[in-house]
Amino acid sequence: MRKIGLIGGMSWVSTRTYYDHINKLVQARTTRLASAPMLIENLDFTDLVRLSTPEQWAHAAQVLEDSARRLEQAGATAILIGANSMHKVYDRVAGAVSVPVIHIADTVGARMQANGVKTAALIGSRNVMVESFYRKRLVEHGVTLLPPVMDNVAEIDRIIYEELMQGRATRSAERTFKTMVTTMGQAGAQAVVLGCTELDMVIDVDANVLPIYDGTRIHAEAAVDWILNA
């Protein structure tokens, strides 16, 4: 098996989810005694939260570039960025190393394209929902995205940062997202993309009114394909 590197800590909750998904998938596809060869650098998220200025994003890019280099030097043969929002600096991170950096939106877009999904809604933090860096990757796979409902953006952002990233899953958040997903279906979405690595804490990925494309799970599956050279 090939060793993979994970830039984590953004938040630590999503790092735990990646570790769990990847190891369980490796076991399912090999033997029950197997575990995934992984290198994890869990970054301190304190200075990487809710970035807004070009200077803040430049700092984040440098932090992630340095992390990717350390993982490569330690033997990682491919790298994951364990946060949707941090894919805003993907190009700089990918350019800092000689090994592949697997883009989360590309894995999701490819899966949706293979399944024939033409129209979808995207749920994530503010920058993922509103800016183009993530959305354009899905569109490149033939998926039309519904425009974000701006009245929902602030509440989604609040739940992500004030609850989920701190490890709290509330019934109120579950009800909020269930209503949103239903409304998205009524607006014409064939599926919903979870563009935040903690959203599976409050959105039922396997049983919902619309098909749910959980970026964390799909990204982890792509990582296991790499590990097993599938």
Side-chain angles (χ1 to χ4, degrees):
M1 292 190 286
R2 298 191 289 193
K3 187 177 294 184
I4 201 158
L6 172 65
I7 303 175
M10 303 170 292
S11 67
W12 68 265
V13 177
S14 70
T15 307
R16 176 183 64 187
T17 303
Y18 272 98
Y19 185 80
D20 186 62
H21 280 334
I22 290 171
N23 277 288
K24 285 180 177 177
L25 287 165
V26 165
Q27 280 190 336
R29 291 171 58 176
T30 56
T31 73
R32 294 301 300 171
L33 295 177
S35 53
M38 294 179 65
L39 295 166
I40 300 174
E41 178 154 283
N42 210 51
L43 300 176
D44 180 4
F45 197 34
T46 305
D47 295 328
L48 300 172
V49 179
R50 287 180 166 167
L51 308 180
S52 58
T53 69
E55 293 77 17
Q56 289 173 332
W57 279 108
H59 169 70
Q62 188 62 59
V63 170
L64 267 67
E65 286 178 46
D66 292 343
S67 179
R69 290 190 188 98
R70 287 190 291 269
L71 289 169
E72 181 181 26
Q73 290 166 3
T77 62
I79 292 171
L80 307 176
I81 301 171
N84 288 273
S85 60
M86 287 299 161
H87 281 72
K88 181 169 179 172
V89 297
Y90 170 87
D91 290 341
R92 282 191 54 176
V93 177
V97 293
S98 60
V99 298
V101 180
I102 301 171
H103 197 295
I104 189 169
D106 285 343
T107 66
V108 174
R111 178 70 58 83
M112 296 175 80
Q113 187 174 40
N115 291 348
V117 175
K118 299 296 185 184
T119 306
L122 173 62
I123 299 176
S125 61
R126 179 183 296 274
N127 69 328
V128 169
M129 292 184 69
V130 174
E131 297 180 32
S132 65
F133 69 92
Y134 189 101
R135 299 175 69 88
K136 69 179 182 181
R137 292 274 184 163
L138 296 181
V139 171
E140 287 171 358
H141 288 87
V143 179
T144 298
L145 292 174
L146 297 184
V149 178
M150 297 309 297
D151 289 345
N152 293 337
V153 170
E155 177 62 6
I156 294 170
D157 211 57
R158 185 198 66 77
I159 291 171
I160 289 171
Y161 285 102
E162 296 181 14
E163 297 180 15
L164 304 183
M165 288 188 173
Q166 298 177 34
R168 294 194 299 120
T170 67
R171 292 296 299 274
S172 175
E174 290 177 7
R175 290 193 293 268
T176 294
F177 284 116
K178 188 170 185 178
T179 299
M180 286 184 187
V181 169
T182 300
T183 302
M184 289 168 176
Q186 294 169 347
Q190 296 174 289
V192 172
V193 176
L194 302 191
C196 168
T197 49
E198 293 86 7
L199 281 170
D200 68 342
M201 296 168 61
V202 288
I203 297 178
D204 191 334
V205 175
D206 298 311
N208 216 299
V209 295
L210 289 177
I212 303 294
Y213 285 78
D214 179 8
T216 311
R217 183 181 295 187
I218 296 169
H219 205 200
E221 290 170 358
V224 173
D225 286 342
W226 179 269
I227 289 169
L228 300 178
N229 197 21

